[in-house]
Amino acid sequence: MRLGKKAKSMTISRNRITAYTFLLPNIIGFLVFILIPVIASFCMSFTSWNGFGSIEFIGFENYKQLIYDANFRISFINSVLFMLISVPVTLFLSVLIAVALNRGIRFVKVFRTAVFLPYVTATIAVAAVWQLIFNPTLGPINGTLMKLGIEQPPGWLSSPTWALISVSIVYIWHSVGYYMVLFLAGLQNIPDYLYEAAELDGAGSISKFFNITLPMLSPVIFFTTIIGVINSFKVFDLIYVLTGGGPGRSTHVLVYDIYNTAFKQFEYGYASAMAYVLFLLILVISIIQFRGQKKWVNY
């Protein structure tokens, strides 16, 4: 009896060792590449350091400086504007495309692949294509506008007024496929009997969409809104390749500013403080979203 218990105990121990062995690479990766840099960055936000000399502890001076930094305010406003433009439009288009594809139209797999393809395309390739599309003289957009009688179409990426909107358009085109797949999965989980019952009551397509589809999709909408807001504040690669933050500072967003401050101006302490302001901004918006979801999400 004792031998049986001992053998069982040894088996459990071996299983635990095997499990921890498989988990160890991920744990080391999490510690080295996420947790330790996050803690180091937080500590660095209270210092002045150019990456080479001695580290000077300056308390909250970096955070105080951010309050009076006009360039930081521009980046902050641009980030919020980018989020307000890109997230609602992306989610709206994703829902519309998902609903259309869920109706069982012909060649649904082809359309689904076509919409999802931009999401898996390299950002450099996406930027190169859209730089041609937005070209003020040779691009098809301005060519079409001029044929429609608009003599002076926008400069798009070279215009301070249109640059952020242009980047938002590319971001929306690039992201819509990912959210469409999530909405499509949500739509396929809605029971058919709800629509059949609504049809018996004489409900039309619009009524079914607003009274069944949207309420049943509300958990997916809530999840995609959270992810969409976070992703919009993290945008960097598109702006780096498409506009380089210009013209002027019209497309400078917070992540791009953090990159410039840390790796071009070598102000690591100040860049860390900016990163934590961005973290707090996302945290506050996420908390508001989680508090608000109790009133409109149906589980």
Side-chain angles (χ1 to χ4, degrees):
M1 190 72 176
R2 286 182 180 175
L3 286 174
K5 283 185 178 178
K6 190 176 179 180
K8 186 178 179 181
S9 175
M10 288 178 66
T11 304
I12 292 172
S13 299
R14 277 199 300 270
N15 289 340
R16 284 178 178 170
I17 291 170
T18 305
Y20 288 132
T21 304
F22 279 106
L23 288 174
L24 194 59
N26 283 336
I27 293 171
I28 292 173
F30 173 76
L31 290 174
V32 173
F33 296 110
I34 296 179
L35 187 60
I36 293 174
V38 165
I39 295 171
S41 174
F42 180 71
C43 298
M44 201 178 294
S45 69
F46 299 101
T47 67
S48 175
W49 187 45
N50 63 5
F52 301 103
S54 58
I55 300 174
E56 181 186 359
F57 180 76
I58 57 173
F60 287 92
E61 285 303 317
N62 285 329
Y63 292 95
K64 289 179 184 175
Q65 189 180 338
L66 284 175
I67 297 172
Y68 303 103
D69 189 339
N71 290 335
F72 176 74
R73 279 201 297 276
I74 292 172
S75 301
F76 186 92
I77 292 169
N78 283 344
S79 291
V80 174
L81 283 176
F82 184 81
M83 183 270 291
L84 291 176
I85 295 170
S86 62
V87 175
V89 177
T90 302
L91 298 187
F92 176 74
L93 292 176
S94 303
V95 170
L96 283 186
I97 295 170
V99 169
L101 294 179
N102 195 48
R103 285 176 172 271
I105 59 175
R106 295 182 66 185
F107 308 114
V108 64
K109 290 183 180 178
V110 175
F111 287 118
R112 192 168 54 197
T113 305
V115 175
F116 189 72
L117 194 59
Y119 183 71
V120 295
T121 304
T123 306
I124 297 293
V126 170
V129 170
W130 278 93
Q131 278 176 334
L132 288 174
I133 293 173
F134 281 135
N135 189 291
T137 53
L138 304 174
I141 295 180
N142 278 7
T144 306
L145 291 176
M146 291 176 77
K147 286 180 181 176
L148 293 174
I150 300 174
E151 296 180 356
Q152 293 183 336
W156 302 110
L157 296 173
S158 59
S159 162
T161 306
W162 288 93
L164 192 65
I165 296 173
S166 303
V167 176
S168 303
I169 291 171
V170 180
Y171 177 83
I172 291 165
W173 178 82
H174 188 248
S175 307
V176 124
Y178 170 71
Y179 296 99
M180 178 271 296
V181 170
L182 296 177
F183 283 121
L184 201 54
L187 286 169
Q188 289 172 356
N189 284 327
I190 299 176
D192 291 335
Y193 66 81
L194 293 177
Y195 293 109
E196 292 167 1
E199 286 171 4
L200 290 175
D201 289 339
S205 299
I206 296 175
S207 176
K208 285 190 288 186
F209 177 76
F210 284 104
N211 294 310
I212 297 176
T213 304
L214 278 185
M216 295 299 289
L217 269 184
S218 56
V220 184
I221 295 173
F222 171 61
F223 171 75
T224 50
T225 304
I226 294 278
I227 298 297
V229 169
I230 294 172
N231 286 340
S232 68
F233 277 114
K234 285 166 50 185
V235 66
F236 169 77
D237 46 3
L238 273 179
I239 287 176
Y240 183 83
V241 179
L242 277 173
T243 64
R249 299 188 69 88
S250 59
T251 56
H252 264 247
V253 292
L254 285 174
V255 174
Y256 189 79
D257 232 8
I258 292 168
Y259 166 79
N260 274 342
T261 306
F263 300 109
K264 289 188 176 179
Q265 300 168 14
F266 302 106
E267 297 179 19
Y268 291 103
Y270 196 54
S272 298
M274 294 169 70
Y276 272 89
V277 170
L278 174 61
F279 166 73
L280 286 175
L281 175 64
I282 294 173
L283 181 66
V284 169
I285 293 175
S286 298
I287 291 172
I288 293 171
Q289 287 176 305
F290 270 95
R291 293 282 176 87
Q293 57 96 18
K294 296 175 183 176
K295 297 181 179 177
W296 63 275
V297 177
N298 300 301
Y299 291 105

